[in-house]
């Protein structure tokens, strides 16, 4: 009995693997195979690169100013971290990186939809205010009076870099 159960499970897992490969290879084959939808719900779907993959890196830079002195040089508040071998299993910065990435993407949408005199709309948008809060609450070695941030967009493959936004100074 155990031998029969083993072979039944082996055949089921083999079919599952075959369906997974078929689903990953192409959707034309799936169209030819008229398998009911509930069966396909059991097959993993790995669309890792979607129709348009993310090819840009976003950097949030900030600088501080004390009184009427010259502002400090730009410092990186957030930038993409180089992947390490263990990030697939444990990545403590993943949540913060995803949050900042999503906020920058949302802010870029707000900026693209901005009307001619719509700067005030951008400065009052939720993603802008969240990024401002993030920058204002970064640890600083010494007290400063004001801070400013900017967002840089880079496409390493095309060696393209652009400044998406430069904020005014805000008091700390």
């Amino acid at each position: 009995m155990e031998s029969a159960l083993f072979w039944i499970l082996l055949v089921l897992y083999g079919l599952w693997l075959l369906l997974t490969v078929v689903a990953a290879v192409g959707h034309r084959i799936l169209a030819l195979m008229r398998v009911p939808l509930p069966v396909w719900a059991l097959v993993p779907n790995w669309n890792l690169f979607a129709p348009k993959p993310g090819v840009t890196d976003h950097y949030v830079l900030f600088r501080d100013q004390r009184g009427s002195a010259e502002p400090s040089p730009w410092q990186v508040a957030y930038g993409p971290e180089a992947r390490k071998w263990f990030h697939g299993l444990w990545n403590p910065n993943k949540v913060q990186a995803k949050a900042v990435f999503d906020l920058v993407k949302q802010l870029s949408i707000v900026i693209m939809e901005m009307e001619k005199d719509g700067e005030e709309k951008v400065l009052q948008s939720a993603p802008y205010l969240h990024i401002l809060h993030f920058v204002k609450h970064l640890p600083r070695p010494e007290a400063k009076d004001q801070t400013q941030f900017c967002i840089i967009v880079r496409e390493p493959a095309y060696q393209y870099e652009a400044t998406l936004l430069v904020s005014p100074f805000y008091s700390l």
Side-chain angles (χ1 to χ4, degrees):
M1 183 66 180
E2 290 177 13
S3 176
L5 180 62
F6 171 77
W7 287 105
I8 290 171
L9 288 175
L10 187 66
V11 168
L12 286 175
Y13 281 122
L15 286 172
W16 191 31
L17 177 64
L18 179 67
L19 288 174
T20 301
V21 170
V22 168
V25 168
H27 295 287
R28 292 181 186 171
I29 298 171
L30 295 178
L32 296 174
M33 299 172 67
R34 299 187 181 210
V35 180
L37 185 60
V39 174
W40 286 116
L42 298 174
V43 177
N45 184 6
W46 292 305
N47 291 334
L48 298 177
F49 299 107
K52 185 177 180 188
V55 294
T56 57
D57 293 332
H58 299 91
Y59 294 83
V60 177
L61 306 174
F62 76 100
R63 64 182 180 175
D64 295 329
Q65 185 175 21
R66 181 167 191 132
S68 60
E70 208 47 41
S72 65
W74 289 103
Q75 301 173 47
V76 177
Y78 166 78
E81 183 180 1
R83 299 282 297 173
K84 298 197 173 47
W85 68 270
F86 55 83
H87 279 171
L89 301 172
W90 181 67
N91 188 354
N93 298 329
K94 182 174 137 182
V95 174
Q96 179 188 17
K98 176 70 170 139
V100 173
F101 177 81
D102 287 347
L103 288 170
V104 170
K105 291 299 272 185
Q106 290 173 2
L107 184 60
S108 65
I109 291 169
V110 171
I111 290 171
M112 282 188 246
E113 294 174 352
M114 181 176 68
E115 297 169 5
K116 183 179 175 185
D117 298 320
E119 183 179 330
E120 195 66 31
K121 179 183 174 186
V122 173
L123 298 179
Q124 293 175 351
S125 68
Y128 180 89
L129 295 174
H130 280 291
I131 294 171
L132 176 61
H133 179 81
F134 168 71
V135 169
K136 284 177 101 173
H137 290 87
L138 289 170
R140 290 172 169 78
E142 56 185 58
K144 300 290 183 174
D145 296 330
Q146 296 180 326
T147 190
Q148 179 183 31
F149 71 92
C150 78
I151 299 172
I152 306 290
V153 178
R154 286 188 183 152
E155 286 189 33
Y158 302 109
Q159 292 160 1
Y160 168 78
E161 181 177 312
T163 302
L164 181 66
L165 172 114
V166 177
S167 77
F169 276 95
Y170 290 95
S171 62
L172 290 173

